[in-house]
Amino acid sequence: MSQQHSRPPATTATVTVFASPTSWIESDAVAQCHQVAALDGMMHVAAMPDLHPGKGAPIGAAMASTVLYPFLVGSDIGCGIAVFPVKLKRAVPEKLAARFPDLDRALDPEQDADDPAWAVVKGDIPAGHIEGLGTVGRGNHFVELARIGTVFEPDHAGRLGLAAGDLVLIVHSGSRGLGERILRAHTEVHGAGPAADPDAYLAMHDDAVRWGSLNRRLLAARVAHALGAEPTEPIVDQCHNLVELRDGIYLHRKGAAPGDGRDVLIAGTRGTPSYLVAAHAGPDAGHSVAHGAGRKMSRADALRRGRAKHTVEELRRTPVGSLVVCGDRQLLFEEAPTAYKRIEQVIADLVGHRLATPVATTIPLVTYKTPDLGSAPRSRRKRGRP
């Protein structure tokens, strides 16, 4: 059963946590849900099993309100996860890890005009935002080459063109500065208050959502070409930081993926499987599902504990035998698999609450975070940069 947390007075929204009593849910995150529930116009807060505290608002929640609050979406508007089938003759992690391009370096429309990745761009670039094009970003963002592991629903997987052993590129990234610019313009005037002009905010927000989706396609195309494969269209592409207008109600999602009849990739960690699920969440769950395993440690705690337990080399080879491309040592520790909840528990909670049905797992082969030390200068020299 879900954990129902509702408080007087009657004007305060209801809060429901879709997790089992044994799941790791921080009290600070639940407290943030209640703070959100007390906002003017708030009707219901649905917290997912990957719930954890965020800056001012919980991560892993869908929040329904008659009032639009930009801070509930956050600065990385349009962040999401896309899955692209990819065909390679042989998938040897050690060889493929060395071939990943420098995804910290943006594609320049003029200097990189001959880059074949541009072929996936149809029409104009949303908001004319060319900064950061084709870059993955920091934090929990990644590009991963994975193989399909266990297939739970062969018919559904087959409709997506997937079978056990197939290879996919998984891209987790957002709007790379555009969303931050949009939120800053709001907060400088209104702080954490509501949008003064919801339609104007939504127009900019929708640009950032489209930009994030386009950027995931660019990232996948850059990696596919580097690995000697042809880029493909995504079979899954769901944004988990956004707001949508449903029947006159603003449904804010922060770290929660649309779960109303969608296929969603719920990310594990770089050392565990991820789960492709068929989501079927209703209004009680904010038509949403979890977007990942969810942090159980702050970045500071993960860094402190990780340095005491692991070496850098240990973190570059994961328990499932995959490789991690990451030249930022601090990020290696902050994003260690142990910093996250158990993805199996998150999925079990979604299944237990009838919000999703697992279709297949994906097993990491190479997870890219940032270029390995020394790779960026070579990439710049190749492009004729100093």
Side-chain angles (χ1 to χ4, degrees):
M1 293 178 62
S2 56
Q3 302 170 36
Q4 186 77 29
H5 299 265
S6 57
R7 287 181 175 180
T11 52
T12 300
T14 51
V15 176
T16 306
V17 180
F18 288 86
S20 61
T22 56
S23 293
W24 174 281
I25 303 289
E26 286 181 73
S27 58
D28 286 353
V30 176
Q32 282 189 334
C33 288
H34 284 293
Q35 289 164 11
V36 168
L39 293 172
D40 288 345
M42 195 61 58
M43 300 168 67
H44 182 57
V45 177
M48 298 295 115
D50 59 337
L51 182 74
H52 55 286
K55 293 178 181 177
I59 300 171
M63 299 152 278
S65 172
T66 57
V67 177
L68 173 52
Y69 291 96
F71 90 98
L72 294 181
V73 178
S75 61
D76 199 6
I77 305 166
C79 187
I81 297 178
V83 181
F84 303 79
V86 63
K87 291 197 182 323
L88 297 169
K89 288 180 180 175
R90 292 187 67 222
V92 181
E94 290 78 5
K95 291 185 177 179
L96 295 174
R99 294 174 65 178
F100 269 65
D102 178 358
L103 300 179
D104 276 2
R105 182 189 175 282
L107 286 177
D108 185 285
E110 293 180 4
Q111 289 186 327
D112 303 309
D114 60 344
D115 193 303
W118 287 117
V120 302
V121 180
K122 316 291 186 198
D124 294 335
I125 294 167
H129 184 70
I130 62 170
E131 297 86 28
L133 268 174
T135 61
V136 67
R138 287 290 199 269
N140 62 352
H141 294 170
F142 65 84
V143 178
E144 183 169 278
L145 176 68
R147 64 177 171 80
I148 302 297
T150 305
V151 176
F152 304 103
E153 298 285 340
D155 289 347
H156 194 121
R159 289 196 294 275
L160 294 171
L162 297 177
D166 286 354
L167 299 178
V168 291
L169 285 171
I170 301 169
V171 181
H172 178 196
S173 190
S175 54
R176 305 300 295 114
L178 178 58
E180 185 179 6
R181 192 173 78 194
I182 293 167
L183 182 64
R184 192 186 310 119
H186 170 80
T187 55
E188 283 176 351
V189 180
H190 305 288
D197 185 342
D199 289 341
Y201 170 81
L202 284 173
M204 294 184 289
H205 160 283
D206 291 352
D207 274 344
V209 170
R210 285 191 294 270
W211 200 99
S213 182
L214 171 65
N215 198 48
R216 290 189 284 278
R217 284 164 168 77
L218 268 172
L219 284 162
R222 291 185 78 178
V223 173
H225 283 299
L227 301 183
E230 284 299 313
T232 59
E233 286 292 307
I235 54 172
V236 170
D237 186 10
Q238 292 300 335
C239 167
H240 50 241
N241 285 357
L242 76 164
V243 61
E244 66 172 296
L245 193 56
R246 295 180 71 108
D247 302 322
I249 303 300
Y250 296 106
L251 180 58
H252 310 75
R253 292 187 176 100
K254 175 66 172 172
D260 45 355
R262 322 282 183 96
D263 294 323
V264 178
L265 192 286
I266 301 178
T269 71
R270 65 191 185 216
T272 60
S274 294
Y275 282 74
L276 179 62
V277 305
H280 35 76
D284 286 352
H287 305 281
S288 303
V289 293
H291 79 307
R295 294 193 73 91
K296 71 176 181 183
M297 289 184 206
S298 69
R299 294 187 177 279
D301 282 348
L303 187 60
R304 178 174 52 80
R305 295 184 190 187
R307 281 176 169 162
K309 287 185 177 180
H310 303 290
T311 66
V312 167
E313 294 314 312
E314 284 172 347
L315 292 179
R316 284 183 168 149
R317 172 75 73 171
T318 76
V320 296
S322 62
L323 294 179
V324 180
V325 179
C326 183
D328 183 334
R329 293 186 172 210
Q330 180 172 325
L331 192 63
L332 263 176
F333 288 106
E334 290 176 349
E335 287 292 307
T338 50
Y340 284 82
K341 304 181 190 191
R342 288 182 61 249
I343 184 63
E344 293 82 5
Q345 184 64 56
V346 170
I347 299 300
D349 286 351
L350 293 175
V351 171
H353 289 96
R354 299 181 180 178
L355 304 185
T357 300
V359 174
T361 61
T362 65
I363 312 298
L365 295 173
V366 178
T367 305
Y368 176 101
K369 302 289 288 183
T370 70
D372 271 332
L373 296 173
S375 67
R378 281 199 300 274
S379 174
R380 283 197 292 269
R381 280 200 295 272
K382 189 172 73 175
R383 293 286 184 188
R385 291 191 167 194

